[in-house]
Each structure stands twice: as structure tokens, then as C-alpha cells.
Amino acid sequence: MLKKLLFGIWGLLLIPLIAPVAAKWLAEHIFSDSRGAATTVFRDAIATPAFTHLLALGQQPWFRFAVVFLTGVVVGVALEWLSRKSGERKADRLRSLGWKFRSLSESLRLRTASPGWPDNARELQPAMLSLFGSARKFDLWAPNERAFQLPDATFLCEYLRCVGKHLEDGDFDDARKEALSWRPFLDQVKRNS
């Protein structure tokens, strides 16, 4: 409500600034027919005094200050609103990413319940690699294809489940910390193999 009021007041303050252009356009297109009695009466009785007052108001120093000040406020409010909307979209994308993490964790767990890792999860690898790429775009640590060389899928299942839970809950800082906490485990397995 306050934002609408602010934009409304700002719009009204712009009228005296637009008045010279509007007066010129009306004079050239509407009031140019000096033979019409109605046109002459309207121009002389209403339009000319109204534009004269608007032009005088637009020349006042306090008015110019008010327009500049309110323009700054309007720009600030608009930028804050855009930033909040952008943040909300990013949060929605991260929550969606979290859901995909957890869903993929469950799919991987079900596939690897029987022996045969990593062959029994080969068709999930492209989806996981794509998901890891998406995670990196949000500055989340994610394993690479070398994680498929681990002795079993426990690491990937738990990584996806834990990080996905934080993302779904909207705990983005915790998700980043959680993701990074898994890195030493993968590095240690790589050194041992």
C-alpha cells in the first residue's frame, strides 16, 4: 500500500515536468484549429490557465528538490523490490535443487540395494552429473565423476540426502557447509585407492 502511494505521489509530481511537452503537443494537434469556437473557448478558459499554473509550479526550486528526492526514493524502493524478487527466485531454485538431491538420493539407494555398484546405477550418472553442475552454479561443492569409482554408493546417497535436506529447508548457508564437509571424505578415499 505504501509503495503504491509513493509511486502515485511521484507520478503526480511528474505532471508539471511533462506539462510543457503536453502543452506544445495540444497546441499543435488539438488547438490548432482557431476557427472552432469550442476549441478556442476550451483553450482560453481551461487549458491555458491550467498549463500556466503547472509550468509555474514546475519552476519552483522546492518542487524540483521534491521531484529529485522522491525519484531517488522511488528508485531505491524499486531496486529493493527487484532484489527481493530475485532472492525469492533464487531461493525457489535452491529448494527445487534440494528436492532433486533428495529424490536422486532415494533413487540411488533403491538401485544400489542389490550388488553391482556402479553398474546398477549407470543410467542415473548423467542426471547426477547434471545436478552436480547445477549445484556448482550456486557455489555448492559437489563431487565429480570420480565419485562413481567408490566401493559403494553410500557416500553419494548420504551426500545427496544431507545437502538436499538443508536446501529444501531453505538453510542455504548450512547446505554449503554440509556440502564442503563431504569433500575430505572423497579426497581421502581417492588417496587410499
Side-chain angles (χ1 to χ4, degrees), residues 71-119:
T71 298
V73 171
V74 165
V75 167
V77 167
L79 289 175
E80 186 273 331
W81 178 79
L82 288 172
S83 174
R84 188 171 358 106
K85 285 293 184 188
S86 174
E88 289 171 4
R89 281 193 299 273
K90 182 179 178 183
D92 288 343
R93 288 194 309 264
L94 283 168
R95 283 188 184 92
S96 174
L97 185 67
W99 179 84
K100 291 174 185 173
F101 265 57
R102 289 175 40 101
S103 174
L104 206 48
S105 170
E106 187 61 23
S107 295
L108 187 61
R109 187 183 65 75
L110 292 173
R111 296 261 175 128
T112 58
S114 60
W117 166 259
D119 293 330

Side-chain angles (χ1 to χ4, degrees), residues 25-97:
W25 185 86
L26 286 172
E28 291 174 358
H29 294 93
I30 306 295
F31 302 138
S32 61
D33 181 19
S34 59
R35 290 175 285 156
T39 303
T40 304
V41 170
F42 180 76
R43 181 187 63 218
D44 294 343
I46 299 173
T48 302
F51 281 111
T52 303
H53 292 302
L54 286 173
L55 291 171
L57 180 62
Q59 299 301 319
Q60 299 295 319
W62 65 267
F63 180 81
R64 289 181 178 173
F65 173 77
V67 169
V68 169
F69 177 76
L70 204 53
T71 298
V73 171
V74 165
V75 167
V77 167
L79 289 175
E80 186 273 331
W81 178 79
L82 288 172
S83 174
R84 188 171 358 106
K85 285 293 184 188
S86 174
E88 289 171 4
R89 281 193 299 273
K90 182 179 178 183
D92 288 343
R93 288 194 309 264
L94 283 168
R95 283 188 184 92
S96 174
L97 185 67

Side-chain angles (χ1 to χ4, degrees), residues 163-184:
V163 174
K165 172 101 174 76
H166 286 296
L167 289 172
E168 275 188 304
D169 292 344
D171 301 327
F172 308 123
D173 290 335
D174 289 342
R176 284 188 179 96
K177 291 175 188 171
E178 180 72 30
L180 270 176
S181 74
W182 287 89
R183 185 177 188 173

Side-chain angles (χ1 to χ4, degrees), residues 104-158:
L104 206 48
S105 170
E106 187 61 23
S107 295
L108 187 61
R109 187 183 65 75
L110 292 173
R111 296 261 175 128
T112 58
S114 60
W117 166 259
D119 293 330
N120 55 4
R122 285 266 183 242
E123 59 197 44
L124 293 177
Q125 287 182 8
M128 281 191 275
L129 291 173
S130 173
L131 192 63
F132 295 159
S134 296
R136 287 184 195 101
K137 289 178 185 174
F138 288 108
D139 199 28
L140 283 170
W141 178 83
N144 55 24
E145 63 276 348
R146 294 167 95 189
F148 300 109
Q149 298 168 358
L150 295 173
D152 60 34
T154 306
F155 172 85
L156 284 173
C157 286
E158 289 302 307

